[in-house]
Amino acid sequence: MPLSFIVAWMPGSRNRVLPRPPHLPARATDFRSLLAGVVSIAWGATGASLAHADRLAGATLAQQGGGGAPACMTCHGATGEGQAAAGFPRLAGQGQAYLLKQLQAFADGTRKNPQMAPIARSLSAAQMRDAADYYASLPGWKQAGAPHTPSAQYTQGLKIATEGDWSKEMPACFACHGIAGEGVPPHFPALAGQPMAYTQTQLSAWRAAQRTNDPLGLMQAVAEKMSDAEIAAVSRYLENPSRAGKEK
């Protein structure tokens, strides 16, 4: 079905083309208002908080650890690619401001994680900036590998990611996170290439209000509309997304 588009400008990015159906339900204006609020506060994003980051120090922290913190690569992979089997997220190519915000949230308890909390609390403000700068400098996810047989679950995930379900005010993931899930700094992280287990866990946490460090409650408002099957489907798709609808 042909898509019409709305165009939104996000700080630090180019114009973004956001897919939506040609006729939005009246209730969908609630989500659009919420998104507009996120866009407005994005102007005050943390350019200053990332000043003086030392990328080389960040690389050392990632590869060797320091100050009581283990090497980031222990869980997040040698090049920040994450560990799919363990559900550890990909860090490479995420926005600096987003990565810094998550470290700060782990440290102050506004994002709960028993593994990351003590690590983040052991880091200084400078080390957080350095690690965020280093991982943001690494290449983002690129699709690779031979095609696999498409599945009904993968196809359902593609629809959620690219179209959403406006009958229940559920926007497309790519409406906020970039037209290919590549992320839109500072507030919307990259989704493409994240391990299925990680995305599934985070969406479930948003839905249960166990994770609440999103701007204006935007992710909670989305996740609470999703069933277990929808969460699993979109998590499966985002692990290796293809706009053609085929797994690769």
Side-chain angles (χ1 to χ4, degrees):
M1 180 179 67
L3 296 174
S4 59
F5 300 89
I6 52 177
V7 179
W9 192 88
M10 297 299 296
S13 70
R14 297 170 293 181
N15 284 345
R16 299 285 170 174
V17 180
L18 310 181
R20 66 174 175 89
H23 301 291
L24 282 174
R27 292 187 304 163
T29 57
D30 294 339
F31 171 78
R32 294 171 68 187
S33 298
L34 189 60
L35 179 57
V38 175
V39 172
S40 69
I41 65 172
W43 285 97
T46 67
S49 67
L50 288 164
H52 311 302
D54 185 336
R55 190 170 296 174
L56 291 178
T60 299
L61 187 64
Q63 296 162 11
Q64 301 175 22
C72 308
M73 66 180 289
T74 304
C75 294
H76 295 282
T79 57
E81 72 276 13
Q83 291 191 40
F88 294 125
R90 179 184 184 90
L91 303 182
Q94 288 286 18
Q96 293 172 312
Y98 177 79
L99 291 171
L100 178 59
K101 178 185 176 183
Q102 301 314 304
L103 285 171
Q104 293 168 338
F106 287 130
D108 66 22
T110 53
R111 181 175 175 183
K112 311 294 184 184
N113 185 284
Q115 293 168 304
M116 279 303 304
I119 294 172
R121 285 196 295 266
S122 74
L123 299 175
S124 67
Q127 286 176 314
M128 289 185 185
R129 291 195 299 269
D130 296 344
D133 186 64
Y134 168 69
Y135 278 111
S137 74
L138 298 178
W141 177 81
K142 299 294 182 184
Q143 191 173 45
H148 297 283
T149 303
S151 67
Q153 185 186 51
Y154 188 84
T155 301
Q156 181 187 19
L158 179 149
K159 186 177 187 301
I160 294 169
T162 59
E163 299 179 27
D165 184 351
W166 285 106
S167 69
K168 56 180 181 179
E169 299 181 66
M170 190 171 76
C173 305
F174 291 175
C176 293
H177 291 273
I179 58 175
E182 74 278 17
V184 181
H187 292 299
F188 301 111
L191 303 180
Q194 287 290 16
M196 177 180 177
Y198 174 76
T199 303
Q200 197 166 3
T201 297
Q202 297 310 304
L203 284 171
S204 297
W206 290 122
R207 186 177 62 182
Q210 294 170 348
R211 181 176 174 184
T212 57
N213 69 323
D214 52 331
L216 301 182
L218 186 61
M219 274 307 305
Q220 293 179 72
V222 173
E224 68 183 6
K225 306 176 193 308
M226 301 181 73
S227 67
D228 288 342
E230 288 171 328
I231 287 176
V234 78
S235 299
R236 170 72 165 158
Y237 172 74
L238 290 171
E239 186 172 54
N240 201 358
S242 168
R243 296 289 293 194
K246 296 181 179 179
E247 295 183 72
K248 294 186 177 180

